[in-house]
Amino acid sequence: MYSVSSNISEASRPFLTWQRIIDWSQEHYRVRSFAKDEKIPARPGLLYLVQRGAVRLVGSAQVNATSIAARTVNVTPEEAFLGFVGAGQPFEIVAQSPFTLQSYAHVDQTSVLWMYWHDLDNWPHFRREVLDAFRYQHQRKLLWLSTLGQRRTIDRLLGFLTLLIEEFGEPSENGYCLPFPLTHAQIGSAIGSTRVTVTRLMGKLRQKGMICTQGDNLICIPTDSVLSKG
Amino acid sequence: MYSVSSNISEASRPFLTWQRIIDWSQEHYRVRSFAKDEKIPARPGLLYLVQRGAVRLVGSAQVNATSIAARTVNVTPEEAFLGFVGAGQPFEIVAQSPFTLQSYAHVDQTSVLWMYWHDLDNWPHFRREVLDAFRYQHQRKLLWLSTLGQRRTIDRLLGFLTLLIEEFGEPSENGYCLPFPLTHAQIGSAIGSTRVTVTRLMGKLRQKGMICTQGDNLICIPTDSVLSKG
């Protein structure tokens, strides 16, 4: 499991030179804290690193099959939840039509630092770690696409939750739990469904004992469920 | 547009040291040709490069919301089309539950070479290009996830086709066309829908002039359509 808790020990940081990077970003005023759901103004060509908290990636469609109508009535574009970037992980936003990507702080006090790619010339080993992290994220997204190809919404929902908790979940008395809340609307936006349908299907999965919730509406997968059968 | 045609000029190869890598792989018997739809036996820990043709990535779910029933009756797992890897591009398969990834030759005479990651120690510059290619592929998959979050199947379908053709399309008299066929079942498996629904919605998009087909059932996006409005 990939932990995103803020009190991760230095030894388990994905990046060995992490402390030096943090010092550098503070010296150069390249670090900033964000409140929950605040937009992180990420620009193409820059590399971002999550120092603390978690970042939520969101995509929105600029075109759809009825785009002309949608444009004239000024409909809000559909936003899709694309995943989290946890502490110690890099992200980047490359502007590309016909979709745009955005990043938001998912929890309070999310701290992000940034640099140009050529700043990494000073830290070739660190650059490789960043690139390996993107390689890892790419593999995760392929698994994510695997579940989104499933026809039944309940299968997409369970696959999606399983992958998220496999990556970000933390052990608890109820199994493995997501360390931060995720709304049913956000889940729906990831799996091509609606808030209402997600709420209904989450109820079904809970009845079957395939998921449970804990405390402040955190989603968990019981230890004896799918994760442990992998 | 990223071309995957086999007669790409050497100058436009994504990798500068490409010819040296090809020579090396032939000397070390690390290259093999595959027939259309033949499975490429890719193993975790190895890096694969498409020399010619195109590779199709496929994911399959090992669990779903009714997995116990599915196991007993030995149902074929749902396979999802996860995209192409074109000539000059790298891919890797990292085994991860609860989904598995597989690779197939998408066209005849697809040629693939492979190496261990440590083989790249001899070519540090090339390693960086490979890692940058994965970074690029990751960004493309985020866009792909953006369209799969759309609620209406016709929007997911149009977004999916637009992204594929933006990346792999080649100019033709009808606009930009995918250089190889893709079945409606394969499209359905990518967007969480069925062959029947895809066929119906493709008809709708064709009627609206948002897509067209050419020759051997190749899917095209007319030049005056979404791609050029990006």
Side-chain angles (χ1 to χ4, degrees):
Chain A
M1 300 255 162
Y2 228 90
S3 173
V4 291
S5 66
S6 54
N7 55 358
I8 231 169
S9 76
E10 207 55 44
S12 69
R13 289 275 186 210
F15 305 121
L16 303 174
T17 42
W18 190 238
Q19 191 54 54
R20 280 168 57 204
I21 303 284
I22 291 173
D23 294 345
W24 174 89
S25 67
Q26 277 164 347
E27 278 164 31
H28 293 76
Y29 306 100
R30 298 267 192 87
V31 59
R32 192 178 139 191
S33 243
F34 295 87
K36 179 169 156 53
D37 296 325
E38 192 178 349
K39 186 173 174 175
I40 299 166
R43 286 183 291 136
L46 285 163
L47 171 68
Y48 297 83
L49 293 160
V50 182
Q51 185 194 349
R52 195 177 52 233
V55 164
R56 179 174 75 243
L57 294 182
V58 166
S60 51
Q62 302 304 300
V63 293
N64 60 44
T66 53
S67 56
I68 295 149
R71 269 180 207 166
T72 48
V73 295
N74 221 344
V75 167
T76 314
E78 246 181 301
E79 291 207 329
F81 170 64
L82 306 182
F84 296 121
V85 186
Q89 284 279 309
F91 69 97
E92 63 179 343
I93 300 289
V94 179
Q96 274 161 316
S97 68
F99 297 94
T100 56
L101 306 179
Q102 268 120 44
S103 51
Y104 295 89
H106 191 67
V107 295
D108 258 332
Q109 294 196 299
T110 291
S111 174
V112 171
L113 54 94
W114 60 92
M115 58 186 67
Y116 290 92
W117 278 94
H118 63 73
D119 290 328
L120 286 174
D121 290 347
N122 303 320
W123 299 298
H125 182 68
F126 182 68
R127 185 212 311 273
R128 186 161 156 199
E129 287 179 343
V130 166
L131 290 170
D132 279 339
F134 280 127
R135 220 180 110 206
Y136 167 81
Q137 290 181 18
H138 177 230
Q139 285 285 318
R140 296 301 302 180
K141 290 313 182 207
L142 289 179
L143 300 182
W144 195 327
L145 287 172
S146 300
T147 193
L148 295 194
Q150 291 177 287
R151 275 196 297 275
R152 294 190 310 162
T153 309
I154 195 166
D155 289 337
R156 294 204 297 273
L157 174 62
L158 181 64
F160 167 80
L161 293 176
T162 304
L163 286 174
L164 263 194
I165 291 173
E166 190 180 58
E167 188 170 0
F168 297 101
E170 296 182 350
S172 83
E173 51 184 297
N174 294 319
Y176 283 92
C177 296
L178 264 192
F180 23 71
L182 193 61
T183 68
H184 291 185
Q186 284 166 338
I187 295 170
S189 79
I191 65 170
S193 186
T194 63
R195 185 190 60 75
V196 175
T197 302
V198 168
T199 300
R200 182 173 56 81
L201 296 177
M202 294 276 282
K204 269 199 181 180
L205 291 178
R206 210 177 285 116
Q207 272 183 341
K208 291 186 178 198
M210 300 180 103
I211 63 167
C212 57
T213 46
Q214 170 180 302
D216 191 18
N217 217 12
L218 299 176
I219 304 164
C220 310
I221 292 197
T223 317
D224 61 349
S225 185
V226 282
L227 275 181
S228 46
K229 288 181 193 148
Chain B
M1 302 256 160
Y2 229 88
S3 175
V4 291
S5 67
S6 54
N7 54 358
I8 231 171
S9 75
E10 207 54 44
S12 69
R13 290 274 186 208
F15 305 121
L16 303 174
T17 43
W18 191 237
Q19 191 54 54
R20 281 169 55 203
I21 303 284
I22 292 173
D23 294 345
W24 174 88
S25 67
Q26 277 164 348
E27 278 163 31
H28 292 76
Y29 306 101
R30 298 269 191 86
V31 59
R32 190 178 141 190
S33 243
F34 295 88
K36 179 168 158 53
D37 295 325
E38 192 178 350
K39 186 172 173 174
I40 299 166
R43 287 182 292 135
L46 286 164
L47 171 69
Y48 297 82
L49 293 159
V50 182
Q51 186 194 348
R52 195 177 52 235
V55 164
R56 180 175 73 242
L57 294 181
V58 167
S60 51
Q62 303 303 300
V63 292
N64 61 43
T66 53
S67 56
I68 295 149
R71 270 179 207 165
T72 48
V73 294
N74 223 343
V75 168
T76 314
E78 248 180 300
E79 291 208 329
F81 169 64
L82 306 182
F84 296 120
V85 186
Q89 284 278 308
F91 70 97
E92 62 179 343
I93 300 289
V94 179
Q96 275 161 316
S97 67
F99 296 94
T100 56
L101 306 180
Q102 267 121 46
S103 51
Y104 295 88
H106 190 68
V107 294
D108 258 332
Q109 295 196 299
T110 291
S111 174
V112 171
L113 55 95
W114 60 91
M115 58 185 69
Y116 290 93
W117 278 95
H118 63 74
D119 290 330
L120 286 173
D121 291 347
N122 303 319
W123 299 298
H125 183 69
F126 182 68
R127 185 212 310 273
R128 187 163 155 197
E129 285 178 345
V130 166
L131 290 170
D132 278 339
F134 281 127
R135 219 179 110 207
Y136 167 82
Q137 289 182 18
H138 177 230
Q139 285 285 318
R140 296 301 303 181
K141 289 311 180 209
L142 289 179
L143 300 182
W144 195 328
L145 287 173
S146 301
T147 195
L148 295 194
Q150 291 177 286
R151 275 196 296 275
R152 295 191 307 163
T153 309
I154 195 167
D155 290 337
R156 294 204 298 272
L157 174 62
L158 182 63
F160 168 81
L161 293 175
T162 304
L163 287 173
L164 263 195
I165 290 172
E166 190 180 57
E167 188 170 0
F168 297 101
E170 296 182 349
S172 83
E173 52 183 296
N174 293 319
Y176 283 92
C177 297
L178 265 191
F180 24 69
L182 193 61
T183 68
H184 291 185
Q186 284 167 338
I187 296 171
S189 79
I191 64 170
S193 187
T194 62
R195 186 191 59 74
V196 175
T197 301
V198 168
T199 300
R200 182 173 56 82
L201 296 177
M202 294 276 283
K204 269 199 181 180
L205 291 177
R206 211 177 284 116
Q207 271 183 341
K208 291 185 180 200
M210 300 178 103
I211 62 168
C212 58
T213 46
Q214 169 179 304
D216 191 17
N217 216 12
L218 300 175
I219 303 164
C220 310
I221 292 198
T223 317
D224 61 349
S225 186
V226 283
L227 274 182
S228 46
K229 288 179 191 149

